[in-house]
Amino acid sequence: MDHAAGMPVDPRVFETMKPYFMENYGNPSSSHSLGANSKNALLEAREKVARLIGIKNHKDVIFTSGGTESNNLAIKGVAYRNKHKGNHIITTNIEHMSVLNICKHLQKQGFEITHAPVNKEGIVNVQRIKDAITDKTILISVMYANGEIGTIQPIKEIGRIASENKILFHVDAVAAAGKVSINVREENIDLLSMSSNDMYGPKGVGVLYIKKGTRIQPVVQGGGQERGLRSGTENTPGIIGMGKAAEIAKEEMEAEGKRLIQLRNKLVKGVLDKIERSYLNGHPTRRLPNNANLRFSYIEGESLILGLDMLGIQVSSGSACTSKTLEPSHVLLATGLAHEEAHGSLVFTMGKQNSEEDMNYVLEVLPGVVKRLRAMSPLTPKEMLR
Amino acid sequence: MYSEKVMDHFTNPRNVGEIADPDGVGTVGNPVCGDLMTVYIKVKDKKLEDVKFKTFGCGAAIATSSMITELAKGRTIEEAQEITRGDVAESLGGLPPLKMHCSNLAADALHAAIKDYLKKKEAKE
């Protein structure tokens, strides 16, 4: 139950991709029929992605190598293209590292970054975004939903503020695309990042939606593919896979979302009922359908992960001990949790293969794992161990 | 990521718990970093008759705590003082590089418990 970290490719996606490795291997830029085949397939994929985010104009869809590259292209592209207008960017303190580190990089080059805070449920303070706007502000970048605590942001409201102030609005929708309905036009989004492997597509493909008329500077220079915004021979099989994944997501998102919310709610309620001093991180309802981020006092996340892994359950954690930086999750800290609370958090992200049976199994074994670790912990109050 | 030995000590930790009337107690780390260990010792005839631990932390923290109790039990005070972090990691078949620093605190906790014991003994004498 760690779909936020990696998802399998949907078999239907894989089937669609297969012919584009050995039979239809043409370069979309070639003039002959083999090339034309690929070109048409790319066009179709572009249209499918466009439909997923509520638009018709496939030209606004730029394929990249994934969410990280899309975020780079969007933020650096806007920043470099508009630096004569201003050097101020507003974002939040719970963004994905790819956004936070791009901003850090830009900061070194003279850009100024404001990180708007979030409340304890992980919702960004819109007023603080509004208050931070100056005549130097060129970009607002806010994630659609947070992959770790699942919180969905008030995108439409922020989009309106950005548009009223004539500031470009970028949304990192990597965690949300294909899971919740997105409409870039209604939500006033100028740029939107998506990733294929977060919607049962292949890894190594992503999309940056760029609203018509939005000017950005490319990050990768070369042969001028993708309207000059992302040079390099197109990853045809990958792009076709992402197109198929987007098509499936568009069709099945609503029903699958309902199913996942039911599973998620069962898991959350069960855990909170069965395990004392356990808490839900993030917002109770404004969250991704498949996300449950749970916190357990007195114990540490990595040992919980190991304990569950031995019982066949794969989850992830907000603990430092599972990260390369030895820092607990910046997202959990931003919601006001203390370090030791962040350490004791587990992230369940369910997917298509998960069933009610899986939830029952977690609810059956998790209390025992928690109890065992609490019995070992010097932080557990004595009265709890009786 | 972890060796079989580490997983074994994580799954079946040896000597978990507190000693009711310990001769020495040592605590190292802190919950902010994600690791907190307390080692309890009981000394008889200059030997560590019993060693127990309680740990909040990752798999490596729990496994090293468990291992230190095995390494130290039955040893003389002098011998136990010579057990190093490296000895603990080696006995566990190695630890991931990152964990060598952050979670390999068990030897320190044992030494702190012995120090506590020696201090108390000195005060009595």
Side-chain angles (χ1 to χ4, degrees):
Chain A
M1 294 179 205
D2 191 15
H3 283 77
M7 279 186 169
V9 170
D10 187 300
R12 293 167 288 179
V13 168
F14 185 51
E15 282 306 316
T16 315
M17 291 170 69
K18 265 185 184 168
Y20 291 90
F21 285 99
M22 297 183 70
E23 295 148 43
N24 301 326
Y25 55 85
N27 187 328
S29 299
S30 303
S31 311
H32 48 66
S33 55
L34 206 52
N37 257 350
S38 297
K39 202 176 170 186
N40 287 336
L42 285 194
L43 178 68
E44 226 174 89
R46 232 180 274 284
E47 287 170 346
K48 285 172 181 167
V49 173
R51 280 198 285 275
L52 179 66
I53 53 174
I55 53 163
K56 287 195 184 100
N57 191 355
H58 62 86
K59 283 186 182 159
D60 296 350
V61 173
I62 300 296
F63 285 107
T64 67
S65 67
T68 295
E69 191 192 326
S70 295
N71 285 338
N72 269 272
L73 178 57
I75 300 170
K76 287 182 190 164
V78 167
Y80 296 151
R81 185 71 168 72
N82 293 287
K83 62 180 174 207
H84 62 286
K85 286 189 195 156
N87 67 341
H88 182 227
I89 295 170
I90 303 170
T91 184
T92 80
N93 56 8
I94 61 162
E95 297 300 307
H96 186 260
M97 290 322 285
S98 68
V99 169
L100 292 177
N101 282 334
I102 294 162
C103 289
K104 216 184 257 177
H105 175 77
L106 288 174
Q107 218 165 9
K108 284 184 200 146
Q109 299 174 27
F111 286 90
E112 278 179 33
I113 315 290
T114 300
H115 293 94
V118 298
N119 67 13
K120 68 180 197 323
E121 289 163 336
I123 294 175
V124 66
N125 187 325
V126 179
Q127 190 58 42
R128 291 284 284 273
I129 293 182
K130 217 170 169 178
D131 294 345
I133 294 172
T134 71
D135 54 359
K136 295 270 183 229
T137 309
I138 50 173
L139 178 69
I140 297 173
S141 179
V142 176
M143 62 188 357
Y144 204 100
N146 185 283
E148 197 182 315
I149 54 170
T151 307
I152 298 172
Q153 300 298 342
I155 291 300
K156 199 171 176 178
E157 203 183 334
I158 302 167
R160 199 171 53 235
I161 293 167
S163 129
E164 279 165 9
N165 288 278
K166 297 195 170 55
I167 296 166
L168 291 175
F169 182 35
H170 167 245
V171 174
D172 171 5
V174 167
K179 298 193 190 78
V180 291
S181 169
I182 297 176
N183 188 309
V184 287
R185 197 163 304 169
E186 280 175 14
E187 294 171 286
N188 289 308
I189 297 167
D190 297 304
L191 303 111
L192 182 108
S193 303
M194 281 185 274
S195 148
S196 155
N197 58 302
D198 284 272
M199 47 169 116
Y200 301 99
K203 293 175 178 65
V205 200
V207 155
L208 181 64
Y209 156 77
I210 309 176
K211 188 180 167 186
K212 198 179 171 196
T214 306
R215 296 224 169 133
I216 66 166
Q217 185 177 306
V219 174
V220 177
Q221 279 76 31
Q225 287 88 344
E226 300 293 301
R227 295 199 288 124
L229 290 169
R230 205 285 185 174
S231 288
T233 299
E234 296 87 346
N235 169 10
T236 313
I239 289 171
I240 284 157
M242 181 168 184
K244 184 68 184 174
E247 181 185 53
I248 295 171
K250 170 98 180 148
E251 277 166 27
E252 300 179 356
M253 185 164 47
E254 206 187 326
E256 176 66 359
K258 273 187 195 150
R259 190 186 76 90
L260 287 169
I261 286 173
Q262 260 177 7
L263 291 186
R264 197 264 318 283
N265 290 350
K266 183 187 171 92
L267 177 71
V268 171
K269 188 176 180 301
V271 167
L272 299 185
D273 283 351
K274 283 188 166 195
I275 303 176
E276 59 177 322
R277 311 269 168 104
S278 64
Y279 311 89
L280 178 71
N281 293 324
H283 195 280
T285 52
R286 274 173 62 174
R287 66 190 303 142
L288 293 173
N290 71 331
N291 174 292
N293 188 318
L294 294 155
R295 184 170 91 245
F296 305 90
S297 299
Y298 319 123
I299 50 180
E300 191 276 329
E302 195 219 59
S303 47
L304 273 168
I305 293 182
L306 288 178
L308 287 174
D309 191 31
M310 288 190 303
L311 297 164
I313 301 166
Q314 280 81 40
V315 294
S316 75
S317 162
S319 172
C321 301
T322 60
S323 76
K324 291 187 185 102
T325 57
L326 298 182
E327 278 292 319
S329 148
H330 69 282
V331 178
L332 294 175
L333 295 182
T335 63
L337 290 189
H339 278 65
E340 56 270 37
E341 293 174 310
H343 285 301
S345 295
L346 275 190
V347 191
F348 294 83
T349 42
M350 277 70 79
K352 280 183 193 171
Q353 306 91 326
N354 292 126
S355 63
E356 196 170 345
E357 229 168 88
D358 296 333
M359 303 305 116
N360 290 335
Y361 180 55
V362 172
L363 291 173
E364 186 191 315
V365 299
L366 181 61
V369 175
V370 171
K371 195 175 169 195
R372 189 175 85 82
L373 291 169
R374 279 182 174 167
M376 265 191 251
S377 169
L379 300 176
T380 313
K382 290 225 163 55
E383 61 271 19
M384 257 181 97
L385 296 174
R386 276 189 208 120
Chain B
M1 170 168 124
Y2 287 130
S3 70
E4 251 173 64
K5 214 65 186 271
V6 171
M7 287 311 288
D8 174 39
H9 277 264
F10 169 73
T11 320
N12 307 296
R14 283 54 148 182
N15 307 304
V16 181
E18 294 174 21
I19 295 176
D21 180 25
D23 294 319
V25 182
T27 296
V28 294
N30 68 66
V32 174
C33 302
D35 287 303
L36 178 73
M37 292 177 195
T38 303
V39 167
Y40 304 83
I41 55 171
K42 193 84 195 164
V43 184
K44 198 180 174 189
D45 303 332
K46 288 183 181 171
K47 277 188 178 169
L48 296 179
E49 188 192 33
D50 199 7
V51 184
K52 287 199 151 136
F53 81 92
K54 278 211 151 180
T55 290
F56 161 86
C58 65
I62 290 168
T64 54
S65 309
S66 166
M67 182 49 89
I68 199 83
T69 64
E70 281 209 326
L71 290 177
K73 227 173 168 176
R75 300 280 187 94
T76 65
I77 295 290
E78 287 76 24
E79 284 167 345
Q81 276 173 318
E82 277 169 24
I83 301 171
T84 65
R85 286 176 170 216
D87 296 334
V88 178
E90 203 178 308
S91 313
L92 285 168
L95 285 173
L98 264 179
K99 302 284 180 183
M100 286 297 283
H101 301 288
C102 72
S103 307
N104 193 4
L105 302 171
D108 302 5
L110 173 69
H111 298 158
I114 293 172
K115 213 170 157 188
D116 180 51
Y117 159 72
L118 293 174
K119 213 168 102 189
K120 279 181 189 157
K121 202 176 131 207
E122 206 174 294
K124 259 190 242 168
E125 277 165 3

